[in-house]
Amino acid sequence: MSVASVRRAARESVAGLPREFWWLWTSTLVNRLGAFVATFMTLYLTLERGYSASFVGLVVALHGLGGVVSSLVAGVLTDRLGRRPTLMAAQTSTAFSVALLGFMEHPAAIAAVALLVGMTSNASRPAVQAMMADIVRPEDRVRAFALNYWAINLGFAVSATVAGFVAEYSYLAGFLGEAALTLVCAVLVYLKLPESRPEKTAAEKAAAEPEIGLGTVLRDGRFMGVVGLSFLISLIFMQGSFGLPLAMGAAGFSTADYGLVIGVNGVLIVVLQIPVTRFIEHRDPQKLLVISALLAGYGFGLTAFGSSVWSLALTVCVWTLAEIINSPTQMGLVARLSPTHGRGRYQGMYTLSWAMASLIAPLMAGFAIEHFGAAWLWGATAALGTIAAAGYWLLMRGLSQAEASPAEAVVQPPVEAVVEVAAPAKATDPVAPAA
């Protein structure tokens, strides 16, 4: 492929997306550059503090429990208060709680603050995802979600490697660094992002449509099926943060070794996310999700045969391809199935699937490794991948060809109109976008 072709492909990948999306993208990138707690919590508690795998699983599960508590609450606040205030409150409180965690000494205090960190850090997800669905046209959403995921992993590729070496000298520096960069994200949101929550039109108000509540989401059978499958997939992917470091630590690998292995995940996504997304953007999501579930399950399953840093890195390559395919495809499906004025609640329920996995995955990893050995954990991931693949195939039959979603049934205004109507900022307001 010529240089000109690469440049043209890059331009086409980023063209047509609104400026507000790029500020949100920048905020995501900065946030992930500071990612430390979620990546190194397990090694911090085992290697630095000397706790057992069971206690580590309990603490990390409390972190996940915090996400479970905050997911639905944040989804409701995203719809009621707005995307911007919810996002700013979540990021500011995350910065405070992460810094606090670095100073905790007593086991009970560590567990309590880990719960708080889980609550605050997870609260921003429904707001980010709803805002992205607000400001990006439906036909561009898969590409936008892929670019946002690319930013997440660009930051992760840098932070996982650098923070691995930082942790060799000072875990506290990692906690404080994440807190500082999270505060930078809150400042970016305050200065550059207007509110994007769509206001109801006069016709919609006159129709006196019933408000969308959590009960509406729970009664949406197809969407809840997607949530359930997302939970299974999340259980698999989260073993990269929970099961893999535990297994590597038990096998005698160092913190830096884990940082290098997991850093492969971020580097591959940075390199491959955009070209792979261009290839899959208009293909059948059912097939893509089935393939990604199998790659995820059996990619982690191959970890049982990894005995060196390089062989473990090869297994990461397999399940990373699954991530590249699954993430934008599934997020695009969630946005498609979410009605315009209920995006916060729908995204909150979707986020709940990941939060529940954050609660279960560390317990699953700690129990399996401590009582049966790591090979049993990797066998379980292969089984879960097979079940998820079958579930996607059954759930999505006919969806691509025949069924219009609630979101598609609503005529959405252009992106510029959404931002202009939803943002109360005046021309003199410092957070209003420049012309």
Side-chain angles (χ1 to χ4, degrees):
M1 181 180 290
S2 66
V3 175
S5 299
V6 173
R7 289 177 177 174
R8 182 170 62 254
R11 284 196 301 271
E12 291 173 354
S13 296
V14 302
L17 296 171
R19 182 178 52 184
E20 290 76 15
F21 166 80
W22 290 111
W23 282 117
L24 191 60
W25 182 91
T26 302
S27 174
T28 298
L29 175 61
V30 172
N31 182 271
R32 293 305 296 173
L33 283 171
F36 184 84
V37 172
T39 306
F40 288 93
M41 172 71 82
T42 299
L43 293 175
Y44 168 68
L45 293 174
T46 53
L47 300 183
E48 179 76 2
R49 297 294 184 180
Y51 293 116
S52 68
S54 296
F55 177 76
V56 172
L58 174 63
V59 171
V60 181
L62 286 173
H63 181 275
L65 177 61
V68 172
V69 173
S70 67
S71 294
L72 298 181
V73 174
V76 173
L77 293 178
T78 295
D79 281 339
R80 289 188 176 180
L81 300 182
R83 286 59 161 143
R84 184 170 175 265
T86 303
L87 188 53
M88 287 177 57
Q91 290 176 338
T92 303
S93 55
T94 297
F96 169 78
S97 59
V98 165
L100 183 63
L101 182 60
F103 292 99
M104 294 297 99
E105 298 285 345
H106 193 278
I110 291 174
V113 178
L115 175 66
L116 179 62
V117 171
M119 291 178 64
T120 56
S121 60
N122 205 60
S124 63
R125 291 184 181 181
V128 169
Q129 293 163 356
M131 180 176 279
M132 199 168 297
D134 293 339
I135 64 181
V136 176
R137 295 177 300 181
E139 60 269 27
D140 293 329
R141 283 180 188 153
V142 170
R143 182 161 54 98
F145 283 126
L147 286 167
N148 193 66
Y149 199 64
W150 185 77
I152 290 172
N153 287 278
L154 176 60
F156 179 75
V158 175
S159 67
T161 303
V162 174
F165 289 101
V166 170
E168 293 283 337
Y169 298 96
S170 172
Y171 278 92
L172 178 60
F175 286 110
L176 296 179
E178 177 170 350
L181 287 174
T182 306
L183 276 179
V184 171
C185 294
V187 172
L188 279 175
V189 171
Y190 175 76
L191 294 177
K192 296 297 183 179
L193 284 173
E195 177 57 61
S196 68
R197 180 179 55 180
E199 300 291 343
K200 287 188 176 181
T201 65
E204 289 171 333
K205 291 178 179 178
E209 296 178 352
E211 291 293 327
I212 295 174
L214 291 177
T216 309
V217 186
L218 292 171
R219 290 190 295 271
D220 190 334
R222 191 186 293 272
F223 181 81
M224 290 305 299
V226 172
V227 170
L229 292 172
S230 172
F231 170 72
L232 295 182
I233 289 294
S234 303
L235 278 179
I236 298 172
F237 283 133
M238 286 184 181
Q239 297 310 325
S241 297
F242 303 132
L244 185 59
L246 275 178
M248 289 184 67
F253 292 97
S254 69
T255 303
D257 290 334
Y258 172 67
L260 289 172
V261 168
I262 200 64
V264 171
N265 171 255
V267 170
L268 282 179
I269 292 177
V270 169
V271 173
L272 298 178
Q273 183 73 71
I274 292 176
V276 170
T277 299
R278 285 176 56 80
F279 178 75
I280 68 173
E281 187 173 3
H282 301 295
R283 297 182 184 273
D284 184 358
Q286 181 193 47
K287 293 178 181 178
L288 294 175
L289 290 171
V290 168
I291 291 170
S292 67
L294 292 173
L295 286 174
Y298 289 95
F300 274 99
L302 289 172
T303 308
F305 304 100
S307 58
S308 67
V309 168
W310 298 112
S311 60
L312 290 170
L314 287 175
T315 67
V316 172
C317 293
V318 178
W319 57 260
T320 294
L321 181 59
E323 259 193 288
I324 291 172
I325 297 170
N326 179 273
S327 178
T329 306
Q330 184 160 260
M331 287 190 289
L333 176 63
V334 170
R336 175 183 174 183
L337 295 174
S338 305
T340 301
H341 299 295
R343 281 179 182 146
R345 289 173 173 84
Y346 271 70
Q347 293 290 352
M349 187 63 71
Y350 173 64
T351 301
L352 179 65
S353 67
W354 285 85
M356 287 294 295
S358 296
L359 175 63
I360 302 300
L363 295 175
M364 171 183 168
F367 182 83
I369 290 174
E370 188 166 324
H371 295 282
F372 301 104
W376 282 87
L377 175 65
W378 308 130
T381 62
L384 289 174
T386 304
I387 294 170
Y392 280 123
W393 182 79
L394 292 170
L395 184 71
M396 297 183 63
R397 286 182 300 176
L399 177 65
S400 303
Q401 294 78 19
E403 185 173 319
S405 71
E408 291 170 332
V410 178
V411 178
Q412 299 198 28
V415 171
E416 295 81 359
V418 170
V419 174
E420 181 179 351
V421 171
K426 299 179 181 178
T428 56
D429 193 314
V431 301

